[in-house]
Amino acid sequence: MFVARSIAADHKDLIHDVSYDFHGRRMATCSSDQSVKVWDKSDNGEWNCTASWKTHSGSVWRVTWAHPEFGQVLASCSFDRTAAVWEEIVGESNDKQRGLSHWIKRTTLVDSRTSVTDVKFAPKHMGLMLTTCSADGVMRVYEAPDVMNLSQWSLQQEISSKLSCSCISWSPSSSRAHAPMIAVGSDDSNTAYSGKVHIYEYIENTRKYAKAENLMTVTDPVHDIAFAPNLGRSFHVLAIATKDVRIFKLIPLRKESAVGSSGPTKLQVQILAQFDNHNSQVWRVSWNISSTLLASSGDDGCVRLWKANYMDNWKCTAILRGDGSPVAGSSSQAAVPSTAGGPQHVLLQASSAGRKKAQLIPG
Amino acid sequence: MEKMSRVTTALGSSTISGRTMFCHLDAPANAISVCRDATQVVVAGRNIFKIYGLEEEQFVEKLNLRVGRKPSLNFSCADVMWHQMEENLLATAATNGAVVTWNLGKPSRNKQDQLFTEHKRTVNKVCFHPTEVYMLLSGSQDGYMKCFDLRKKESVSTFSGQSESVRDVQFSMKDYFTFAASFENGNVQLWDIRRPDRYERMFTAHTGPVFCCDWHPDDRGWLATGGRDKMVKVWDMTTNRAKEIYCVQTIASVARVKWRPERKWHLATCSMMVDHNIYVWDIRRPFIPFATFEEHKDVTTGIVWRHQHDPYFLLSGSKDSTLYQHMFKDASRPVDRANPEGLCFGLFGDLAFAAKESLISGDANRKPYPGGDRRYPIFFFKKPDLTEQFAHVSSALSVFESSLESKRMDWFVKTARLYLLSGKPFAELCDHNAKVAKELNRPQVSTTWTMLRIMFSDPANLSTPGPNHIGKLGTLPLMNSFSMKEMGMGTESRLDRSKGESRQDNIHLELGNSLINSNNDENEETEGSEGQAEYMFGDAELDDDDLYSMDMFFSLVFSAEEQEYTLPQEAFPLRHEIMDNPLAPEHLQQDKADSPQASGNEAEVMCLTPIESFSLISISQPLFSPHLPAPFFCPVVREMLSHYAEQGDVQMAVSVLIVLGDRIRKEIDDLTQEHWYMSYIDLLQRFELWNVSNEVIKLSTCSAITCLNQTSTTLHVNCSNCKRPMSNRGWICDRCHQCASVCAVCHHVVKGLFVWCQGCSHGGHLEHVKNWLKSSSHCPAGCGHLCEYT
């Protein structure tokens, strides 16, 4: 079902995050070696590294793409207490390095006093916004008032919680019925503090985010959190990576006096599924685009895929080993190892980035 | 933290014990130093000069060396050092340029021993010789280093670095005569104490000031330096040229660096500003601190390992006026919180996965979850000594691609491309879309389209294939069981509205069950269509094939039942091999082909009667009669669309919404519609299906959506002749009266797609320009511009 294609990433330390862009043709990786690499998919499906540069003076925890409407833009966050926004500039046409892309730092967000553990862009319809969260428990919301000027970001709001934050996720819903929503997970190891996931909602009246929900049942450190793509649903689905994989359903309860809401929407929280198949810490969760499949990875070095049947019963449909070897006991025989050699640095890979030099119009 | 820990040192005889503890000082500390037997620590600062005893539970103030009513500037210390051979001997570097020694053995309150006022500016560093009792070295802001013999009143020799201020001086641990000095201009010099005229060696270690240096306690050649450039570098000095062998990147300028005792690869650093933490690095893994101590609230100014053979106790003084003893076991380990894996789903169902190699290759280094791994009995766990394990690690990156046959999102792209949403009569659109869905192996979607056609078509236009098809599929026994059941429930008339309503309730019930109650224990019973069928048909004995054909039949006949049937199965498309059964569209075509028939009610009856028995006629008459108005189905369709949307198939919801148009629009509130449109358009744009996306935008009725493609529609064009901006009156330039839209390649006027270079304004037919630029990089108009087509 799946073919594993291994890529010689050539990072000098742990890779902490992998991120696909909006169209699924580019990939960014970040590592403790303080660098970020950008990979472009060639026509034959190979991934070629088109850029690699030092981004921070500490481990880079996360890297994330902005919507391509804003250009080819990446954000990264690091142990060095900063988050940075990068934009790709394609080499000049008469340049020897034609097609080689350069990434330019547009801004450094230096408000945090501790390690910045996650950075995420807001859904496109909200404009150019991003949030960061840091190890001292502060979540920050930034906005670029002028989308053409990536070097100017204003800090909209700071929300402190007592617990160190580890991950953050925007609700992708574009419905006007849903207020913008952010979920923040904490990796504080003290299980005495219950509620390691906080959900904040934008309040139109105050123009601020306020706490809407606290998932009290999550008491173990949370390492990753991901809203499922909304796709026209009336409710939200949230996956959480903690000591196990959990899937929550958040149903907004429509208030009677909907006009001029002064407080956050009440959410009805249901737990849809909970799996400890990894038998260890779960580090990452990720949804596919149609939000029918959830992938999780844990300390066991395996990726597990989860799928719901029509009854909303979630079941494991595949187990993938990181090196592509099949896993005994996997329901579907996954991962035929066909290890393609590491990609060469193909420099003349035309990049889709930058501003188009040619345009089409009906004549 | 409360627990005491006892650590035996390499010295064996003396045992250090203690815990993480701190005490408040009266003033910010500038430097600290510890006495040889690790029982006392001296803290020096601008306004403080005290000795504290290190006890098990706390610091105890032993002695205040700032005496006298008006302490002189000599007490204002930039640095302090306790002699490692002579217990009573201390030296301080004063901010006024004095080097002072203190003899604790003095009986008087003032312990000041000697005073050297030879430096002209602040003395940054003092350093005793590690083995020689009377030899003291100082380094000053004035750029000189001086060596003092404590038996004499003045310095023995002066070393001129001739490269700005001296920040640090350190005697080599192994070479009796050698010392290293670091400078503000980034240089490090090596000196022989016997040759004050010239340094032995000099090299540039950092860009910007080198604030500190430290010789490795065991390896004679290694020197660690830290600078304002945020780096710690380790130099191998045994070779002819100083060779950088390790480099650690920290997050702030490095103020102090101290090798960790008994650990070859470890060193501790603290920063001069911004960062208040103390880091312990393993130089082999220079990116992540091995351990951090985060207690201080202000800049840490002095760090010292408590005992030269004990790696577990670190003392630190800070500008926040505290003195800390850090226990290594209480340190935080950033790497423990670092995520060893990255995982991301791509758009096409491929999965990028990066993981620590040791996690993938085996369970060797796997940390068991605190709760215990249930796969192994607990006694199999051997706890590796994680505290000191910090080897170099790397990650493996791989992409799992769904193999081509089952490319997971292909159906979406194909469906989006092939669906017809407008431009044809309603029934044809439905048929077309049903066919598309069928070809993509989505029988449920296909059935839904067929159903929609039947439900919403005018009876007059209702084409015959539907009933005809039923007639062929539905076997007599089926019909009988069906009719019996319905008969049992009442007369035919009750099939009308009241019936529909009761079915509605059932639907709600079923939906409720399936969506919300995930703990339903009767999953097995309701799974798939069998359960539903039984529910509907009672005891009727059916084999599978019959069942499907019957399902098909019913979905065609009763919208309500169809709902019950399709909804659950939609999430389960591949479970039943429906494709193996005779499929509706094929039949439709077939039937169309071999029975050219008139349309209308008459035909309907006609084609039913010859095949089926009398009982069927009596039933099917009211079912297919035009007495069921289209609005009757609207609530059902609304439910269905919501169901598709909640299942993640917003494509279906939007497509049906567009095709049905006014028939259903009023049933669904605007917000939801807008939400569906937005979601679908976003998806289409992800797949770069711009044309489909634009079509959807155009066909939508939500004002918020239709305006999406009406922004930024202005194009500013330059005349390709005179290069002036064109007016908006067409393609004839105002100034040169030439047609601006002439193809530069074929010199004809372009009708259709026109592409032009924004640099030189020349352009032409898309294909022509494309071909031209394949062979040449210059503008086809010959203007010499290097056009770029991206």
Side-chain angles (χ1 to χ4, degrees), chain B residues 104 256 415 477 626:
Chain B
L104 299 181
R256 309 267 178 193
T415 310

Coordinates of all heavy atoms in Angstrom, one line a residue, chain B residues 104 256 415 477 626:
Chain B
L104 N 43.8 34.7 54.9 CA 42.7 34.4 55.8 C 43.4 34.0 57.2 O 42.7 33.9 58.2 CB 41.9 33.2 55.3 CG 41.1 33.5 54.0 CD1 40.3 32.3 53.6 CD2 40.3 34.8 54.2
R256 N 31.4 32.9 30.6 CA 32.3 32.0 31.3 C 32.2 30.6 30.7 O 31.2 30.1 30.2 CB 31.9 31.8 32.8 CG 31.7 33.1 33.5 CD 33.0 33.5 34.2 NE 32.7 34.8 34.9 CZ 33.6 35.6 35.3 NH1 34.9 35.3 35.3 NH2 33.3 36.7 35.9
T415 N -12.8 13.5 -9.9 CA -14.2 13.9 -9.7 C -14.4 15.4 -10.0 O -15.3 15.8 -10.7 CB -14.7 13.5 -8.3 OG1 -14.3 12.2 -8.0 CG2 -16.2 13.7 -8.2
P477 N -40.0 -12.6 -6.0 CA -40.1 -12.8 -4.5 C -39.8 -11.6 -3.7 O -40.4 -11.3 -2.7 CB -39.0 -13.9 -4.3 CG -38.6 -14.4 -5.6 CD -39.1 -13.5 -6.7
P626 N -46.8 11.5 -9.7 CA -46.3 12.9 -9.4 C -46.8 13.5 -8.2 O -46.6 14.7 -8.0 CB -46.7 13.6 -10.7 CG -47.9 12.9 -11.2 CD -47.7 11.4 -10.8

